[in-house]
Amino acid sequence: MSKENVDRGKRNLMLGTATLGATAATGLLSTKTAQAASSSGSGGVLIRRVRPGEPGWPSQSQWQALAQSMQGRVFEVPDPFAGCEQSAAACQEILKDFENPYFIQDTPGATQSSGWVDAWTSRISQYAAEVETTDDVAKAVRFAHDHNLRLVVKGGAHSYLGQSNAPDSFLIWTKRLNKIEMHEKFVPQGSQGVEPMQAVSVGGGAIWVDVYDKAVVKGRRYVQGGGCTSVGVGGHLQTGGFGSFSKRFGMSSGGMVEVEMVLADGSVVVANEHQNSDLFWASRGAGAAFGIITRATLKLHPLPDTFGFAGLRVKAKSDGAYTALVEHFLRFYRDSLMNPHWGEHAGFNGENELEIAMSIQGLSEKEAADVWQPFVDWVSARSEDYEIVSPLRLVVVAAYHWWDYEYRKKHLPKSIIADDRPDGKPGAFWWSGSAREVSIYIAGYESGWLHERLLEDSQLPILAATLVAASRVRGFEIHFNKGLAGAPPEVAMQGQQIPMNPVVQHAFGLVIVAGGELNVHEGLRGHEPNKPEARAEAARITQAMDLIRAIAPDAGGYCSEMSYFAPNWQYDAWGRANYERLRALKQKYDPNGVFMAHHYVGSEDWTDNGFVKRG
């Protein structure tokens, strides 16, 4: 190793001595003892991760050696709220920063959500490896494997379930794995006779705003990715992934043609349909339980002429009129909008309002207006029952401008919020509507797929009445782009090709009932969440979803947008047959649970904190 690398490792390793010098408590298991411990009883400890200060926790020289071996850096994770001890003014500045998703991503001890009542709370890891190469990732994973550490991975940090953080853990931080490379003629490894395709290879730590800028704004091609610009590529792909235009192009992982991954033993594999096909299948929807994506290659599509937005708010003047409005809208959606041109969502609430916020692809403004005119006419002709709170607003632009920061800043400034920090990411922005998700303390989050059969004439009145009844308890949204009914047949088939609940192939949308409190942080005095209100809201969210599940018993749930407390989460997320296959693959590739977090495949064998596996 060169002296330069040794010096860099010494500079980058910012070690504290308090935890390393701590004395282990009596009875704590060493690494070897913990790995070997077992019991004939069903409650016997099989594996126990080590914590700082316990026998087996890496020594300072071992952390030093890891740092010196890597191109990236290894460091003790600082508390992002440490400045709050200085003054109230300093704390206010920190809290303001936490309203910016890019600040959160640039802060190793921060997560997009601050926690979930009675479920999890955002906590910093003990140490982090800011990896820069695949080899860095492999070394860090091997280090965690060999030292029996609780491992977490942070990319975009959007996990509602708290999967990208854990106290006393070792964090692999992937933000510098962000290379993006366009290919005119890409051929997957190990394939024979496959026609070269246009594709883009993306580092697992990249975020979608950068991918869209490279592929769409500059490259004039389309790649299916996430709807939120700040979402991380790796985690998004591993949960299937939907974007605003998924009704036309399918799930993000459905467009993945090859993936490079680091497995639990630190080995690196390239997986596609021609080699390591079982891992390729699992990597496209089973979550991050099988490895860390270091590079994914995605198919590029011809860019549609236009992308756009349709917004409308209608208020009914009575409960009966609202039920009629909801039924009419659902019929209108089935007949006119359940096709590849439309995506995004509609909101339903207890104020008898219907709020439309839908995306458009491939239509001119006139064509989009013509689609909506019959619905607008129906509402306008019934002024005694309805008030148009916000008239139909259509925004249609050339598709290559959709993620064009300079264009939006000039022509659609209210649609985005820019990362305006002095050292912020140039050209980075997030949608104005996404501000409701940044630093949210979650009260509850439920989701379920709505089968297209619910839109049949015989079922529509029941569906409408149920949705209205649920809205009396708690407002919710139906995300029409999350569901493949109405997509082209070859796109809808993705529901059978990747490990998700198979109902997604026949779902016209995903209902999401969720809520929480913004920019509160448990343990931060004066800025703590209102837990009694959060629990009350959680009860309302569950009650509303239970009403919907009564007519949609096969609704399941989306693995990245489901309840932390779902009792049948395995089958809700993946279906019975898929989950049994995934469990077998988990045992094959990660029998010791190096990649373990709440609602990961196999996590039912572990305590919620991921530290103890039981028999």
Side-chain angles (χ1 to χ4, degrees), residues 100 102-103 106 175 418-430:
N100 181 336
Y102 298 108
F103 167 82
D106 290 343
K175 64 167 290 188
D419 182 11
D420 57 0
R421 295 173 295 158
D423 58 346
K425 188 177 179 62
F429 66 88
W430 64 101

Side-chain angles (χ1 to χ4, degrees), residues 486-510:
E490 69 275 11
V491 170
M493 281 296 293
Q494 290 177 5
Q496 296 183 19
Q497 297 165 345
I498 67 176
M500 292 186 72
N501 189 318
V503 73
V504 69
Q505 180 179 354
H506 304 286
F508 73 83
L510 181 75

Side-chain angles (χ1 to χ4, degrees), residues 246-258:
S246 283
K247 209 67 138 186
R248 165 62 184 87
F249 298 100
M251 286 174 280
S252 304
S253 63
M256 189 162 70
V257 295
E258 187 169 276

Side-chain angles (χ1 to χ4, degrees), residues 364-447:
S364 68
E365 184 174 331
K366 183 182 183 307
E367 289 170 330
D370 288 346
V371 170
W372 278 95
Q373 196 59 52
F375 183 79
V376 173
D377 289 345
W378 185 90
V379 173
S380 300
R382 293 161 176 79
S383 58
E384 71 280 4
D385 288 326
Y386 306 110
E387 173 190 359
I388 297 180
V389 179
S390 297
L392 179 67
R393 178 173 177 259
L394 296 171
V395 176
V396 177
V397 302
Y400 56 82
H401 281 318
W402 192 248
W403 290 283
D404 185 339
Y405 171 71
E406 295 297 334
Y407 181 90
R408 282 194 172 269
K409 185 172 68 172
K410 181 178 180 180
H411 298 284
L412 300 164
K414 293 183 179 180
S415 67
I416 62 171
I417 304 172
D419 182 11
D420 57 0
R421 295 173 295 158
D423 58 346
K425 188 177 179 62
F429 66 88
W430 64 101
W431 305 119
S432 299
S434 296
R436 60 182 178 168
E437 303 170 11
V438 184
S439 284
I440 188 172
Y441 183 81
I442 299 170
Y445 206 117
E446 300 265 3
S447 72

Side-chain angles (χ1 to χ4, degrees), residues 234-287:
H236 175 82
L237 292 173
Q238 286 175 304
T239 58
F242 291 91
S244 298
F245 309 112
S246 283
K247 209 67 138 186
R248 165 62 184 87
F249 298 100
M251 286 174 280
S252 304
S253 63
M256 189 162 70
V257 295
E258 187 169 276
V259 62
E260 178 187 80
M261 299 174 64
V262 175
L263 303 184
D265 61 357
S267 62
V268 180
V269 299
V270 173
N272 53 46
E273 290 182 347
H274 312 279
Q275 60 183 41
N276 298 309
S277 57
D278 54 351
L279 278 172
F280 184 60
W281 176 77
S283 70
R284 293 189 293 166

Side-chain angles (χ1 to χ4, degrees), residues 508-532:
F508 73 83
L510 181 75
V511 61
I512 296 177
V513 194
E517 189 176 1
L518 286 176
N519 217 354
V520 292
H521 302 270
E522 191 169 347
L524 187 61
R525 186 176 301 176
H527 304 282
E528 295 181 315
N530 183 336
K531 287 191 174 183

Side-chain angles (χ1 to χ4, degrees), residues 116-118 442-446 474 513 515 531-544 565:
W116 186 318
V117 66
D118 299 325
I442 299 170
Y445 206 117
E446 300 265 3
R474 182 62 170 77
V513 194
K531 287 191 174 183
E533 175 52 35
R535 293 181 182 115
E537 185 174 9
R540 293 191 294 269
I541 289 168
T542 299
Q543 183 182 353
F565 304 104

